[in-house]
Amino acid sequence: MVVLGLETSCDETCAAVSDRHHNVLSSVVASSLPHHVPHGGVIPEIASRHHLESICFVVDEALKKSKKKPKDLEAIAVTQGPGLIGSLLVGISFARALGLGWRLPVVGVNHVRAHLYAAFIGQRGINFPFVGLVVSGGHTSLYRVHSLDHEELLGATRDDAAGEAFDKVAKILGLGYPGGPVVERWARQGRPQAFGFRCDCGPGFDFSFSGIKTAVLYQVQNLKKIYGRLSRATVADLCASFQEAVVSNLVAKAMRAAATSSSKILVVGGGVAFNNYLRERLQSAAALYKIKLCMAPKPYCLDNAAMVASLGSRLISAKGRKAALNLDTLGA
Ligand code: KG4
Ligand code: ZN
């Protein structure tokens, strides 16, 4: 099924076209990030205005790059939530209008599920059940996934999401926004054991990342009291030690969930899965514990519409699930 996907849940306006084999024919992303950077985080009003300004161009580009015409499309998939309400509404209203004009079914897709199923882009079949880990700026959750629309939540963050913790630590260190990529860069020059940071949230599958963010803050305040400022080596050590603690915690919990599951398959997606250190650690642990690891390819870890088109197409193929044209947001 040739599907046009739309994603506007946060600060990126995305459109993509996928074919019947879940291959991505085009994926276009227009980010409003530069407009948010001075504020140190995403400003919802700026994001939704940017979506309004960009969406026509982004959809045109996605169609052009895919070499498909509207008449070649068989469905439209759009992110229904969770996300910023004003931003979601732009994508949903646009999808509804296109569906009406081009006489196409419109299917709503859950953003968190789409991050997980990004691991299957380009693959026809999916082996259920599997354990799924979504690590993004808004979510850190472990699921036992039984089918396309049935998953059991094993655990989730009790406070900050992992990506949010990267963003906050970068802010504490004055490294800018978004924090993930910049903390990862600094961490490469630092020593992961320099500070004994730990993420601890008991033996279950829940996560907690706000304590480690506070531990970094107190460490920075103490060091500044003693030395006046942080040296580059100290910043690198702080980043490496923080990243080490977060990654170790994510890997340990995800591996334990997968190792105790029937299928021993672990699927990982979301913006933090872009992190090379996390990817390497997951790969070595999976080899050690004989877990089959499926990670979202790097181009489809951060927000994109290819993951929305691909999951939308699977949903329609499996269930014939068409949303009515009064499709609404699923809330934040
Ligand atoms: O999935 P995503 O694009 O948006 C949400 O659905 O939240 O994830 C964005 C998050 C941000 O918090 C960002 O700092 C984090 O992913 N991120 C990273 C890296 N690249 C992006 N975190 C760690 N390492 C990275 N290289
Ligand atoms: Zn996302």
Side-chain angles (χ1 to χ4, degrees), residues 38-95:
H39 308 282
V42 174
I43 306 295
E45 185 60 21
I46 296 179
S48 51
R49 275 164 196 262
H50 183 268
H51 290 309
L52 268 178
E53 284 164 15
S54 316
I55 197 155
C56 286
F57 171 78
V58 169
V59 169
D60 270 355
E61 277 295 296
L63 282 173
K64 232 183 269 167
K65 287 191 173 156
S66 71
K67 300 194 171 32
K68 296 285 179 196
K69 300 257 180 285
K71 69 172 171 49
D72 302 319
L73 298 175
E74 291 163 273
I76 297 172
V78 61
T79 301
Q80 201 173 3
L84 304 171
I85 292 291
S87 294
L88 288 166
L89 274 173
V90 176
I92 290 174
S93 311
F94 203 80

Coordinates of all heavy atoms in Angstrom, one line a residue, residues 38-95:
P38 N 17.0 29.6 21.3 CA 17.2 30.7 22.3 C 16.4 30.6 23.5 O 16.7 31.1 24.6 CB 16.7 32.0 21.5 CG 16.7 31.6 20.0 CD 16.5 30.1 20.0
H39 N 15.3 29.8 23.5 CA 14.5 29.6 24.7 C 14.9 28.4 25.5 O 14.3 28.1 26.5 CB 13.0 29.5 24.2 CG 12.5 30.6 23.4 ND1 12.2 31.8 23.8 CD2 12.4 30.7 22.0 CE1 11.9 32.6 22.8 NE2 12.0 31.9 21.7
G40 N 15.8 27.6 25.0 CA 16.3 26.4 25.7 C 15.3 25.2 25.7 O 15.4 24.3 26.5
G41 N 14.3 25.3 24.9 CA 13.3 24.2 24.8 C 12.3 24.5 23.8 O 12.2 25.6 23.3
V42 N 11.4 23.5 23.5 CA 10.4 23.8 22.4 C 9.2 24.6 23.0 O 8.7 24.4 24.0 CB 9.8 22.4 21.9 CG1 8.7 22.6 20.9 CG2 10.9 21.6 21.3
I43 N 8.9 25.7 22.2 CA 7.8 26.6 22.6 C 6.6 26.2 21.7 O 6.7 26.3 20.5 CB 8.2 28.1 22.3 CG1 9.5 28.5 23.0 CG2 7.0 29.0 22.7 CD1 9.5 28.4 24.5
P44 N 5.6 25.6 22.3 CA 4.5 25.1 21.5 C 3.9 26.0 20.5 O 3.6 25.6 19.4 CB 3.4 24.7 22.6 CG 4.2 24.5 23.8 CD 5.4 25.5 23.8
E45 N 3.7 27.3 20.8 CA 3.1 28.2 19.9 C 4.0 28.4 18.7 O 3.5 28.5 17.5 CB 2.9 29.6 20.6 CG 2.1 30.6 19.9 CD 0.7 30.2 19.4 OE1 0.2 29.2 20.0 OE2 0.2 30.8 18.5
I46 N 5.3 28.5 18.9 CA 6.2 28.7 17.8 C 6.2 27.4 16.9 O 6.1 27.5 15.7 CB 7.7 28.9 18.3 CG1 7.7 30.3 19.0 CG2 8.7 28.9 17.1 CD1 9.1 30.6 19.6
A47 N 6.1 26.3 17.5 CA 6.1 25.0 16.8 C 4.9 24.9 15.9 O 5.0 24.6 14.7 CB 6.2 23.8 17.7
S48 N 3.7 25.2 16.4 CA 2.5 25.1 15.6 C 2.5 26.1 14.5 O 2.0 25.7 13.3 CB 1.2 25.1 16.4 OG 1.2 26.2 17.2
R49 N 2.9 27.3 14.7 CA 3.0 28.3 13.6 C 3.9 27.8 12.5 O 3.6 27.9 11.3 CB 3.5 29.6 14.1 CG 2.4 30.4 14.7 CD 3.0 31.6 15.5 NE 2.0 32.1 16.3 CZ 1.3 33.2 16.0 NH1 1.5 33.9 14.9 NH2 0.4 33.7 16.8
H50 N 5.0 27.2 12.9 CA 6.0 26.7 11.9 C 5.4 25.6 11.1 O 5.6 25.5 9.9 CB 7.3 26.3 12.6 CG 8.3 25.8 11.7 ND1 8.5 24.5 11.3 CD2 9.3 26.5 11.0 CE1 9.5 24.4 10.4 NE2 10.0 25.6 10.2
H51 N 4.6 24.7 11.8 CA 4.0 23.6 11.0 C 3.1 24.2 9.9 O 3.1 23.7 8.8 CB 3.1 22.7 12.0 CG 4.0 21.9 12.9 ND1 5.0 21.1 12.5 CD2 3.9 21.7 14.2 CE1 5.5 20.4 13.5 NE2 4.9 20.8 14.6
L52 N 2.3 25.2 10.3 CA 1.3 25.8 9.4 C 2.1 26.3 8.2 O 1.6 26.2 7.0 CB 0.6 27.0 10.1 CG -0.7 26.7 10.8 CD1 -1.3 27.9 11.4 CD2 -1.7 26.1 9.7
E53 N 3.2 27.0 8.4 CA 4.0 27.6 7.3 C 4.6 26.6 6.4 O 4.8 26.8 5.3 CB 5.1 28.5 7.9 CG 4.5 29.8 8.4 CD 5.5 30.6 9.3 OE1 6.7 30.2 9.3 OE2 5.1 31.5 10.0
S54 N 5.0 25.4 7.0 CA 5.8 24.5 6.3 C 5.1 23.3 5.6 O 5.6 22.7 4.7 CB 6.9 23.8 7.2 OG 7.5 24.8 8.0
I55 N 3.9 23.0 6.1 CA 3.4 21.7 5.8 C 3.1 21.5 4.3 O 3.3 20.4 3.7 CB 2.1 21.3 6.7 CG1 1.9 19.8 6.6 CG2 0.9 22.2 6.3 CD1 1.1 19.3 7.7
C56 N 2.6 22.5 3.6 CA 2.3 22.4 2.1 C 3.6 22.0 1.4 O 3.7 21.1 0.6 CB 1.8 23.7 1.6 SG 0.1 24.0 2.0
F57 N 4.6 22.8 1.7 CA 5.9 22.6 1.0 C 6.5 21.2 1.3 O 7.0 20.5 0.4 CB 6.9 23.7 1.5 CG 8.3 23.5 1.1 CD1 8.7 23.7 -0.2 CD2 9.3 22.9 1.9 CE1 10.0 23.5 -0.7 CE2 10.6 22.7 1.5 CZ 10.9 23.0 0.2
V58 N 6.4 20.8 2.6 CA 7.0 19.5 3.0 C 6.3 18.3 2.3 O 6.9 17.4 1.8 CB 6.9 19.4 4.6 CG1 7.2 18.0 5.0 CG2 7.9 20.4 5.2
V59 N 4.9 18.4 2.2 CA 4.2 17.4 1.5 C 4.5 17.3 0.1 O 4.7 16.3 -0.5 CB 2.6 17.5 1.8 CG1 1.8 16.6 0.9 CG2 2.3 17.2 3.3
D60 N 4.6 18.5 -0.6 CA 4.9 18.6 -2.0 C 6.3 18.0 -2.2 O 6.4 17.2 -3.2 CB 5.1 20.1 -2.4 CG 3.7 20.6 -2.9 OD1 2.8 19.8 -3.0 OD2 3.7 21.9 -3.1
E61 N 7.2 18.3 -1.4 CA 8.6 17.7 -1.5 C 8.6 16.2 -1.4 O 9.3 15.5 -2.1 CB 9.5 18.3 -0.4 CG 10.1 19.7 -0.8 CD 11.0 19.6 -1.9 OE1 12.1 18.9 -1.9 OE2 10.7 20.2 -3.0
A62 N 7.8 15.7 -0.4 CA 7.8 14.3 -0.2 C 7.2 13.6 -1.4 O 7.7 12.5 -1.8 CB 7.0 14.0 1.1
L63 N 6.2 14.1 -2.0 CA 5.6 13.5 -3.2 C 6.6 13.6 -4.3 O 6.8 12.6 -5.1 CB 4.3 14.2 -3.5 CG 3.1 13.8 -2.7 CD1 1.9 14.7 -3.0 CD2 2.7 12.4 -2.9
K64 N 7.2 14.7 -4.5 CA 8.1 14.9 -5.6 C 9.3 13.9 -5.5 O 9.6 13.2 -6.5 CB 8.7 16.3 -5.6 CG 8.6 17.1 -6.9 CD 9.2 18.4 -6.8 CE 8.2 19.5 -6.4 NZ 8.8 20.8 -6.1
K65 N 9.9 13.8 -4.3 CA 11.0 12.9 -4.1 C 10.6 11.4 -4.3 O 11.4 10.6 -4.7 CB 11.6 13.1 -2.8 CG 12.4 14.4 -2.7 CD 13.2 14.5 -1.4 CE 14.1 15.7 -1.5 NZ 14.5 16.2 -0.2
S66 N 9.4 11.1 -4.0 CA 8.9 9.7 -4.1 C 8.6 9.3 -5.5 O 8.3 8.2 -5.8 CB 7.7 9.4 -3.2 OG 6.6 10.1 -3.7
K67 N 8.5 10.4 -6.4 CA 8.0 10.2 -7.7 C 6.6 9.7 -7.8 O 6.2 8.9 -8.7 CB 9.0 9.4 -8.6 CG 10.4 9.9 -8.6 CD 11.2 9.2 -9.7 CE 12.5 9.8 -10.0 NZ 13.3 10.5 -8.9
K68 N 5.8 10.0 -6.8 CA 4.4 9.5 -6.8 C 3.5 10.8 -6.9 O 3.9 11.9 -6.5 CB 4.0 8.8 -5.5 CG 4.8 7.5 -5.2 CD 4.3 6.4 -6.1 CE 5.0 5.1 -5.9 NZ 4.8 4.2 -6.9
K69 N 2.3 10.5 -7.5 CA 1.3 11.6 -7.7 C 0.2 11.3 -6.7 O 0.1 10.1 -6.2 CB 0.7 11.5 -9.1 CG 1.7 11.7 -10.2 CD 1.6 13.1 -10.7 CE 2.6 13.4 -11.8 NZ 4.0 13.6 -11.4
P70 N -0.6 12.3 -6.3 CA -1.7 12.0 -5.4 C -2.5 10.8 -5.8 O -3.0 10.0 -5.0 CB -2.5 13.3 -5.4 CG -1.5 14.3 -5.7 CD -0.5 13.7 -6.7
K71 N -2.7 10.6 -7.2 CA -3.5 9.5 -7.6 C -2.9 8.1 -7.3 O -3.6 7.1 -7.3 CB -3.8 9.6 -9.1 CG -2.7 9.4 -10.0 CD -3.1 9.4 -11.5 CE -1.9 9.4 -12.4 NZ -0.9 8.4 -12.2
D72 N -1.6 8.1 -7.1 CA -0.9 6.8 -6.7 C -1.1 6.4 -5.3 O -0.8 5.3 -4.9 CB 0.6 6.9 -7.0 CG 0.9 7.3 -8.4 OD1 0.2 6.8 -9.3 OD2 1.8 8.1 -8.7
L73 N -1.5 7.4 -4.5 CA -1.6 7.1 -3.0 C -2.8 6.3 -2.7 O -3.8 6.4 -3.4 CB -1.7 8.4 -2.2 CG -0.5 9.4 -2.3 CD1 -0.8 10.7 -1.6 CD2 0.8 8.7 -1.7
E74 N -2.7 5.4 -1.7 CA -3.8 4.6 -1.3 C -4.3 4.9 0.1 O -5.4 4.5 0.5 CB -3.4 3.1 -1.3 CG -3.2 2.6 -2.7 CD -2.4 1.3 -2.7 OE1 -1.1 1.4 -2.7 OE2 -3.0 0.2 -2.7
A75 N -3.6 5.7 0.9 CA -4.0 6.1 2.2 C -3.1 7.2 2.8 O -2.0 7.4 2.2 CB -4.0 4.9 3.2
I76 N -3.6 7.8 3.8 CA -2.8 8.9 4.5 C -2.8 8.4 5.9 O -3.8 8.0 6.5 CB -3.5 10.2 4.4 CG1 -3.5 10.7 2.9 CG2 -2.7 11.3 5.2 CD1 -4.3 11.9 2.7
A77 N -1.6 8.5 6.5 CA -1.4 8.2 8.0 C -0.9 9.4 8.6 O 0.0 10.1 8.1 CB -0.4 7.0 8.1
V78 N -1.5 9.7 9.8 CA -1.1 10.9 10.5 C -0.9 10.7 12.0 O -1.7 9.9 12.5 CB -2.1 12.1 10.2 CG1 -3.5 11.7 10.7 CG2 -1.6 13.4 10.8
T79 N 0.1 11.3 12.6 CA 0.3 11.2 14.0 C -0.9 11.8 14.7 O -1.2 13.0 14.5 CB 1.6 11.9 14.5 OG1 2.6 11.3 13.8 CG2 1.8 11.7 16.0
Q80 N -1.5 11.0 15.6 CA -2.7 11.4 16.3 C -2.4 11.9 17.7 O -3.2 12.6 18.4 CB -3.7 10.3 16.3 CG -5.1 10.7 16.6 CD -6.1 9.5 16.4 OE1 -5.6 8.3 16.2 NE2 -7.3 9.7 16.5
G81 N -1.3 11.5 18.2 CA -0.8 11.8 19.6 C 0.1 10.7 20.1 O 0.2 9.7 19.4
P82 N 0.7 10.9 21.2 CA 0.7 12.1 22.1 C 1.6 13.1 21.4 O 2.5 12.8 20.6 CB 1.3 11.6 23.4 CG 2.0 10.3 23.1 CD 1.4 9.7 21.8
G83 N 1.5 14.4 21.9 CA 2.3 15.5 21.4 C 1.7 16.8 21.8 O 0.7 16.8 22.6
L84 N 2.2 17.9 21.2 CA 1.7 19.2 21.5 C 0.3 19.4 20.7 O 0.3 19.2 19.5 CB 2.7 20.3 21.0 CG 4.1 20.1 21.6 CD1 5.0 21.1 20.9 CD2 4.0 20.4 23.1
I85 N -0.7 19.7 21.4 CA -2.0 19.7 20.8 C -2.1 20.6 19.6 O -2.6 20.2 18.5 CB -3.1 20.2 21.9 CG1 -3.2 19.1 22.9 CG2 -4.4 20.5 21.2 CD1 -3.9 17.8 22.5
G86 N -1.6 21.9 19.7 CA -1.6 22.8 18.6 C -0.9 22.3 17.4 O -1.3 22.4 16.2
S87 N 0.2 21.6 17.6 CA 1.0 21.0 16.5 C 0.3 19.8 15.9 O 0.2 19.7 14.7 CB 2.4 20.6 17.1 OG 3.1 21.7 17.5
L88 N -0.2 18.9 16.7 CA -0.9 17.8 16.2 C -2.1 18.2 15.3 O -2.4 17.6 14.3 CB -1.5 16.9 17.4 CG -0.5 16.1 18.2 CD1 -1.1 15.7 19.5 CD2 0.1 15.0 17.4
L89 N -2.8 19.3 15.8 CA -4.0 19.7 15.0 C -3.7 20.1 13.6 O -4.5 19.9 12.7 CB -4.7 20.9 15.8 CG -5.6 20.5 16.9 CD1 -6.1 21.7 17.6 CD2 -6.8 19.7 16.3
V90 N -2.5 20.7 13.4 CA -2.1 21.1 12.1 C -2.0 19.9 11.2 O -2.6 19.9 10.1 CB -0.8 21.9 12.1 CG1 -0.3 22.3 10.7 CG2 -0.9 23.2 12.9
G91 N -1.3 18.9 11.6 CA -1.1 17.7 10.8 C -2.4 16.9 10.6 O -2.7 16.5 9.5
I92 N -3.2 16.9 11.6 CA -4.5 16.1 11.5 C -5.5 16.9 10.6 O -6.1 16.3 9.7 CB -5.1 15.9 12.9 CG1 -4.3 14.9 13.7 CG2 -6.5 15.4 12.8 CD1 -4.6 14.6 15.1
S93 N -5.6 18.2 10.7 CA -6.5 18.9 9.9 C -6.0 18.8 8.4 O -6.8 18.7 7.5 CB -6.5 20.4 10.3 OG -6.7 20.5 11.6
F94 N -4.7 18.9 8.2 CA -4.2 18.8 6.8 C -4.5 17.4 6.3 O -4.9 17.3 5.1 CB -2.6 19.0 6.9 CG -2.1 19.5 5.6 CD1 -2.2 20.8 5.2 CD2 -1.5 18.6 4.7 CE1 -1.7 21.2 3.9 CE2 -1.0 19.0 3.5 CZ -1.1 20.3 3.1
A95 N -4.3 16.4 7.1 CA -4.5 15.0 6.6 C -6.0 14.8 6.3 O -6.4 14.2 5.2 CB -4.1 14.0 7.7

